[in-house]
Amino acid sequence: MPSAMEGSEGGEEGEILRYEETEDDNVSPTDLSELLKEGTKESHDRAENTQFVKDFLKGRIKKELFKLATVALYFTYSALEEEMDRNKDNQVFAPLYFPLELHRREALVKDLKYFYGEDWKEKIQCSEATQHYVDRIHHVGQHEPELLVAHAYTRYMGDLSGGQVLKKVAQRALKLPSTDEGIQFYMFDNISNAQQFKQLYRARMNALDLDKNTKERVVEEANRAFRFNMQV
């Protein structure tokens, strides 16, 4: 499953798996956004070099495989957004609750209807690898909600950057309609400026009241999230 991490759109076959596009003079090395950036670099490199991502970026993506990736994303985001809803008033996550701007489940339902038809629910199933990812998200949301930020950060921040490159590649390679059917997942209609939103999101992350040990656990969980994405 493509974990569409942040990056520049300068070259679709070059590096896209980068979260930080601009330097912010106001951040400290102990800020969560900086710890995540530094602490997940190795995972970024590994994710960016998976065969699936390399083939995807070169436009070598089969529709059946893209459909299966969309199914995996549906189960993943359904779990993630269920746990985010559960913790929307929990102080360890509440500042990062942006359902209108970020939530992807309804967009993925539209994509699944496009690819599988109105009876899409009967035609899809959760793979074993995706189920492991889903189970971990539910565990975190219900037992360690302070780690939920790791999963939200790993997915949404990437969807707003590298995901926009993947959208163009998929649309062209799969000859999808110019009216954006099949790629609603990549459309963020309620975010007018992705770069500004990501800066706001990182500022909110850095303002979370987390001690040093908890921040380290968040970084560890983000690396775990990368591994789940690569396994899927």
Side-chain angles (χ1 to χ4, degrees):
M1 179 170 67
S3 184
M5 277 60 78
E6 284 193 51
S8 73
E9 296 187 17
E12 290 178 0
E13 294 181 19
E15 292 187 356
I16 66 161
L17 309 185
R18 289 289 174 267
Y19 274 70
E20 307 299 326
E21 295 171 347
T22 56
E23 292 299 323
D24 187 344
D25 294 334
N26 297 319
V27 298
S28 154
T30 58
D31 280 342
L32 184 56
S33 65
E34 287 297 292
L35 292 170
L36 280 165
K37 181 173 75 169
E38 293 301 317
T40 59
K41 272 183 177 176
E42 199 174 311
S43 292
H44 274 292
D45 291 339
R46 283 201 300 271
E48 144 181 284
N49 284 296
T50 60
Q51 198 60 47
F52 181 82
V53 171
K54 289 197 285 191
D55 285 346
F56 197 134
L57 287 172
K58 290 174 181 171
R60 295 201 294 258
I61 179 77
K62 297 281 194 296
K63 183 170 276 191
E64 272 312 306
L65 197 56
F66 188 78
K67 286 165 65 175
L68 288 175
T70 304
V71 170
L73 289 167
Y74 167 77
F75 285 112
T76 301
Y77 281 84
S78 294
L80 181 57
E81 288 161 12
E82 181 183 334
E83 296 308 329
M84 288 164 63
D85 288 344
R86 184 195 308 276
N87 288 284
K88 64 183 178 182
D89 298 319
N90 189 323
Q91 64 179 7
V92 300
F93 185 77
L96 299 176
Y97 186 66
F98 291 97
L100 193 63
E101 293 85 356
L102 291 179
H103 280 197
R104 298 289 84 205
R105 184 181 181 278
E106 292 310 312
L108 284 159
V109 168
K110 291 178 185 176
D111 290 339
L112 290 171
K113 282 181 181 177
Y114 172 77
F115 286 122
Y116 291 96
E118 289 297 324
D119 58 344
W120 60 274
K121 278 190 178 179
E122 282 80 59
K123 295 178 178 176
I124 67 170
Q125 58 183 9
C126 188
S127 71
E128 186 178 353
T130 304
Q131 190 62 54
H132 289 317
Y133 193 4
V134 165
D135 290 345
R136 179 60 188 175
I137 291 169
H138 282 310
H139 170 84
V140 164
Q142 294 168 35
H143 302 289
E144 301 177 89
E146 66 277 9
L147 302 183
L148 200 55
V149 59
H151 292 277
Y153 166 85
T154 302
R155 290 301 328 177
Y156 293 112
M157 290 298 94
D159 298 334
L160 286 168
S161 286
Q164 302 311 297
V165 176
L166 297 180
K167 175 183 74 174
K168 294 174 185 175
V169 176
Q171 195 167 38
R172 186 173 64 240
L174 301 177
K175 298 181 172 57
L176 296 172
S178 59
T179 44
D180 298 329
E181 282 98 338
I183 50 170
Q184 285 297 304
F185 169 71
Y186 299 109
M187 312 296 291
F188 288 85
D189 295 335
N190 294 311
I191 295 178
S192 57
N193 185 311
Q195 185 59 29
Q196 286 182 4
F197 183 85
K198 285 182 288 183
Q199 288 174 343
L200 167 66
Y201 197 91
R202 288 195 288 266
R204 291 280 187 95
M205 278 201 317
N206 293 337
L208 292 172
D209 186 17
L210 305 176
D211 60 27
K212 181 174 180 286
N213 178 259
T214 304
K215 288 178 182 178
E216 289 172 355
R217 289 171 57 231
V218 169
V219 173
E220 184 181 337
E221 189 67 23
N223 281 305
R224 188 190 296 239
F226 272 105
R227 290 195 296 274
F228 278 123
N229 276 287
M230 286 186 276
Q231 287 161 5
V232 170

